[in-house]
Amino acid sequence: MPRRNHTPDLMESQPGSPAPSPTARRVRVMLPLPFAGALDYRAPAGLDLQPGDIVSVPLGRRTETGVVWDMELRLPPEFMPPPMPPVAAGRLRAVGGRLDLPPMPAPLRRFIDWVAAYTLSPPGMVLAMALRTSTTAAAPRPAAGWKVAGEIPPGLRLTPARQKVLDIARAGTPMSTTDLATRAGVGASVVRGLAQAGCLHEVVLPAPWAFATPDPAHAPPVLEGEQADVARALRDTVAEDRFSITLLEGVTGSGKTEIYMEAIAACLEKGLQVLVLLPEIALSSQWTERFERRFGTAPALWHSDLGPRLRRVTWRAVADGEAHVVVGARSALFLPFVRLGLIIVDEEHETSFKQEEGVTYNARDMAVVRARMDNAPIMLVSATPSLETLANVGAGRYRHLRLGARHGNASMPQVRTLDMRASPPERGLFLSPVLTDAIARTIGRQEQAMLFLNRRGYAPLTLCRTCGHRMQCPNCTAWLVEHRARRILTCHHCGHHEAMPPACPSCNAEDSLTPIGPGVERITEEARATFPDARILVMASDTLHGPAATAEAVDRISRREVDLVIGTQIVAKGWHFPHLTLVGIVDADLGLGGGDLRAAERTVQLLHQVAGRAGRAEAQGHVLLQSYVPDHPVMEALVSGDFASFMEQEAEQRRPGFWPPFGRLVALIVSADTPEAADMTARALGHEAPRLDGVQVLGPAPAPLAILRGRHRQRLLLRARRNIPVQPIMREWLSRVKPERGARVDVDIDPISFL
């Protein structure tokens, strides 16, 4: 949040300054608040304010922190928002002062304007993602430490405690008072007493927040053949020193990470900064280990699990150019890089790059815009590229590099389907005997196996055997998921949870509530009963709380302390498990229902990534897909390994109807406290819907999640041909409708979710 009462690092305008004249210099200041644009202020005499300066300004009766903004927006005409009316010079309030912070770079300011205009968001809310950490990011103060001064003053009584402190101080590097006292097992007063006696000399300690410079020559890999050719091409791309977009497509286990690190090395050799975006925070542990092996030091991290102090220090290091490589989640796009020379988006197909709340944006697509603003190359990396990216390759907008073979002696896993109609599990169970036999043989060979089910908890539905009542969330139109280990029912949409009742809340029948369908907890229960001697590890967001826990789980698997891994989609995220040779997909059909536009594409990407965990070393990998529709195109693509043909078929199905990537979509989500307000606002939007050639509006209709977090929801969907800019259409449409009291209209450009 913006600070108030800035005193030590603020150059205040003086009280009693003369009244503003008509010629007073006007500056625009963008605030991290939902205004339509920047606000006009007066620059105090003697304070030379430039675009990018971070300043304190009065707003009403309070003080806010903002950024001096450019007078002119440089955006495509279709993105230009309506101008805010100017304020008469005589009414302008003066800027309070400039904060002692690095200015926000021009490319980042242009990027914020672009994202706001593209997503139809208030620019201040986009600015908030880049600014709020910085308001307390003053340069860190160096810490003081102690080292032995020399000779012991005559007459000083050396107690055992004092002698221990001096021995430790002589033997090691300088330490702070707290660290030295802790190591010696004494109180801090003993250390301070020795300092006052002249035995210890104060020195400046190395900054614990310092980011070491990665060494591009530390441990370069030995690359041959196809890998060497692709690495050379990536280095050449960096050497061009201009904006370009490259898709690096490689089969799972082909060494994509090690190869694109050669592009990072080329960028570091030029003294430039690098941003690497990962789809999941949990991936950072194994990625940073690879980075340290290659470059000799750790990168800077940026994600929501970092503490406030480390986030402030990292923001400042990025702004000062001291953080050379940043690996982070989507919010890292808004860091103030001063010499950004390369952006890499790993696993570019992942839907978790889409921010669904607040400012809705796709970090993959906005990363392309950020690279353009900084005139830097960007590389999109995936074993299963999205159809949008492949369409851009086909149109010649993206360069395409391929890795068709796995690294070293590893081969692609053999994939086959298990027809669950021919090989069904026993009654009440969910694993086919064919799959359990394969797991038993794998464990018997002292190899590792994995079971994948993209469903948390014990069971997705609980119903009453007596009356058929289904346990539903009171805040959402969603079933409550049983988590048997914690004996609760939980809504995975709003977080509501309640204890498992002893009787049906509808008919009061006791012991009548029955779990329907499996989650990973139920599969784990079945696996423990089937393989009582196996060492089983569950990898799900319910069991792995943060990157540290995930790193420990990965280490256990790598140390062969685990025989069977059971997990949700977290196990599909690029892990390298060299001893894992069998992957069983418990329900390969799970993602194919629901009428989602991208259901087939998402399913084939997810299952291909999961299958890719098998056989990444010398032993042959095997993948078994449990399916009731083994002849589905998704299953056939997974068995054949012909991902390209599947995506071509998917493209042909979407092209005639101008569905993405061959057309544009905009979702309008109407939510309100009452169903009447949501319905009336949605009807008004439907009545005022644009009627233009090449534009179609679908809806309004109740959202699949008709109630979410207690709010009633309706949806409309605008579909347009690819060459039609949708932003001016949406602005005009929304300007004609005033939402009902308590109703809100959220706009999602290029939606991923249709819930």
Side-chain angles (χ1 to χ4, degrees), residues 115-461:
V115 172
Y118 186 85
T119 61
L120 300 180
S121 302
M125 301 312 294
V126 182
L127 173 67
M129 295 188 286
L131 180 65
R132 283 181 175 160
T133 295
S134 73
T135 57
T136 53
R141 295 183 177 88
W146 304 102
K147 69 176 184 179
V148 176
E151 296 295 328
I152 304 299
L156 178 68
R157 188 168 67 90
L158 282 179
T159 64
R162 286 178 169 179
Q163 187 63 56
K164 194 167 186 179
V165 170
L166 291 173
D167 291 342
I168 292 173
R170 284 193 186 97
T173 58
M175 286 182 282
S176 68
T177 300
T178 301
D179 291 342
L180 190 53
T182 301
R183 286 281 302 276
V186 302
S189 60
V190 177
V191 177
R192 288 193 289 267
L194 286 170
Q196 292 171 0
C199 297
L200 298 177
H201 175 64
E202 188 175 47
V203 295
V204 175
L205 294 177
W209 52 79
F211 294 93
T213 303
D215 180 6
H218 176 72
V222 178
L223 302 175
E224 298 177 349
E226 183 182 51
Q227 287 189 326
D229 293 340
V230 172
R232 191 178 305 112
L234 294 181
R235 277 184 162 271
D236 291 344
T237 299
V238 173
E240 292 173 358
D241 199 23
R242 63 178 179 84
F243 170 69
S244 64
I245 311 170
T246 301
L247 167 63
L248 174 57
E249 179 183 2
V251 298
T252 54
S254 59
K256 295 184 293 296
T257 303
E258 285 73 14
I259 289 170
Y260 74 61
M261 282 189 182
E262 293 311 290
I264 295 176
C267 195
L268 291 172
E269 289 166 0
K270 300 174 66 176
L272 301 177
Q273 294 173 295
V274 181
L275 169 61
V276 181
L277 294 181
L278 300 180
E280 296 285 347
I281 296 172
L283 283 179
S284 61
S285 59
Q286 198 171 69
W287 194 96
T288 51
E289 289 176 5
R290 295 184 184 182
F291 186 91
E292 288 188 57
R293 288 196 299 268
R294 172 63 180 87
F295 296 105
T297 189
L301 299 179
W302 186 264
H303 52 70
S304 59
D305 271 11
L306 298 180
R309 181 175 180 273
L310 184 53
R311 286 173 69 87
R312 292 194 298 269
V313 168
T314 303
W315 186 96
R316 181 78 189 221
V318 172
D320 289 338
E322 296 174 359
H324 301 274
V325 178
V326 178
V327 56
R330 53 183 177 244
S331 60
L333 270 177
F334 297 92
L335 287 171
F337 292 95
V338 288
R339 299 190 306 273
L340 186 58
L342 174 65
I343 298 178
I344 294 171
V345 182
D346 206 346
E347 308 290 0
E348 66 85 26
H349 65 277
E350 283 283 352
T351 57
S352 55
F353 279 124
K354 182 64 184 281
Q355 169 72 35
E356 298 282 4
E357 296 183 349
V359 178
T360 58
Y361 67 95
N362 191 314
R364 176 201 63 202
D365 299 342
M366 296 303 104
V368 173
V369 178
R370 180 75 202 261
R372 184 187 297 275
M373 298 297 178
D374 283 85
N375 195 33
I378 179 171
M379 298 170 186
L380 310 178
V381 184
S382 178
T384 54
S386 63
L387 193 53
E388 285 81 2
T389 295
L390 291 174
N392 280 315
V393 168
R397 289 186 284 268
Y398 294 4
R399 181 187 187 189
H400 194 186
L401 298 175
R402 291 188 180 90
L403 292 166
R406 283 189 157 181
H407 179 64
N409 298 321
S411 59
M412 295 299 294
Q414 297 177 356
V415 182
R416 68 186 179 100
T417 54
L418 295 180
D419 189 338
M420 296 294 280
R421 298 166 298 186
S423 303
E426 296 182 19
R427 183 178 178 85
L429 301 180
F430 302 93
L431 301 179
S432 166
V434 178
L435 178 55
T436 56
D437 289 347
I439 294 173
R441 291 194 300 270
T442 300
I443 296 176
R445 294 192 301 268
Q446 296 186 338
E447 297 170 355
Q448 294 170 320
M450 174 187 288
L451 288 172
F452 170 77
L453 176 62
N454 195 22
R455 186 183 279 151
R456 291 182 289 157
Y458 186 85
L461 172 64

Side-chain angles (χ1 to χ4, degrees), residues 34 37 41 156 163 175 312 367 415 504 522 563 613 679 743:
Y41 284 90
L156 178 68
Q163 187 63 56
M175 286 182 282
R312 292 194 298 269
V415 182
C504 172
R522 198 169 191 180
D563 300 313
R613 301 314 104 203
D679 184 64

